[in-house]
Amino acid sequence: MKKLIIAVCMFITTTTFAQNEKFMGAMGATLQQFGTAKTAEEMTAVAQKFERIAEAEKTQWLAYYYAALVKARMSMNGMGGDKDVIADQASELIAKAESLEKNNSEILCVKSMIATAKMLVDPQTRYMQYGMDATKLLEEAKKADVTNPRPYMLQANSLRGTPENFGGGCKTAKPAAEKAIELYATYKASSPIHPNWGKESVEQIVASCK
């Protein structure tokens, strides 16, 4: 009986390792593709790959997170069709990630990006709803992980694109960007496939705001 239990445990361990190795390999390859994607078609293909990985590994939040991140960027940059529709797709995906990983700073960052994407469709009429949501979500992201530089990076990007008479511009964007750079210097991603993006963006803000 003891030998049987040991054999079963070894089988489970081996199977789990193989599944994790397969997941890591698929995620790594798709992240590389994400890094080089430039067109709407390429970005759509990347999002679809992340979705397929997520559906195959339903307990892993990262694949849903990246699929939502891709869609959020596409909506913000006007890639691939109706911005509202794409932002809504991102919202559905990040909700699935959040169902697996509560109070996660990275997920809150993407939720803020989606709110920004929705706001950018019609800033004058949507700021009070989506603009305020985006700001609130970044503050929640800061609290969820005080070591995460991405809430400050996203805040700096948003402020840099906001007119000075509305509280934006270099005066407010640069301090947030500098805080992000400070955090990037010590930030350690949990694994090679965990979020570790955005440093170049804040470096460009600091350089342009000298």
Side-chain angles (χ1 to χ4, degrees), residues 69-81:
L69 175 62
V70 175
K71 291 284 186 178
R73 287 188 179 178
M74 289 178 69
S75 178
M76 293 174 78
N77 294 324
M79 302 173 71

Side-chain angles (χ1 to χ4, degrees), residues 27 30-31 34-35 37 43-44 46-48 50-51 61-79 86-97 105-115 117 138 150 153-154 157 184 193-198:
M27 287 292 291
T30 310
L31 281 169
F34 184 18
M43 294 285 276
T44 299
V46 169
Q48 289 172 343
F50 279 127
E51 286 188 63
W61 66 273
L62 278 167
Y64 286 120
Y65 160 87
Y66 281 114
L69 175 62
V70 175
K71 291 284 186 178
R73 287 188 179 178
M74 289 178 69
S75 178
M76 293 174 78
N77 294 324
M79 302 173 71
I86 296 171
D88 289 340
Q89 291 170 351
S91 186
E92 290 176 9
L93 290 162
I94 205 64
K96 291 180 179 180
S105 182
E106 304 292 358
I107 289 173
L108 290 165
C109 283
V110 173
K111 289 179 70 175
S112 176
M113 291 175 68
I114 295 166
L138 287 184
R150 271 164 291 284
M153 180 274 297
L154 291 171
N157 274 336
Y184 275 116
I193 65 170
H194 275 73
N196 196 20
W197 52 273

Side-chain angles (χ1 to χ4, degrees), residues 31-43:
L31 281 169
Q32 283 188 326
Q33 189 177 346
F34 184 18
T36 59
K38 292 181 175 62
T39 67
E41 291 76 15
E42 290 170 340
M43 294 285 276

Side-chain angles (χ1 to χ4, degrees), residues 94-107:
I94 205 64
K96 291 180 179 180
E98 194 168 35
S99 71
L100 299 169
E101 187 80 8
K102 306 292 185 184
N103 195 37
N104 180 289
S105 182
E106 304 292 358
I107 289 173

Side-chain angles (χ1 to χ4, degrees), residues 13 26 88 94 98 111 121 129 155 169 201:
T13 301
D88 289 340
I94 205 64
E98 194 168 35
K111 289 179 70 175
V121 173
Q129 178 183 355
Q155 181 182 32
S201 179

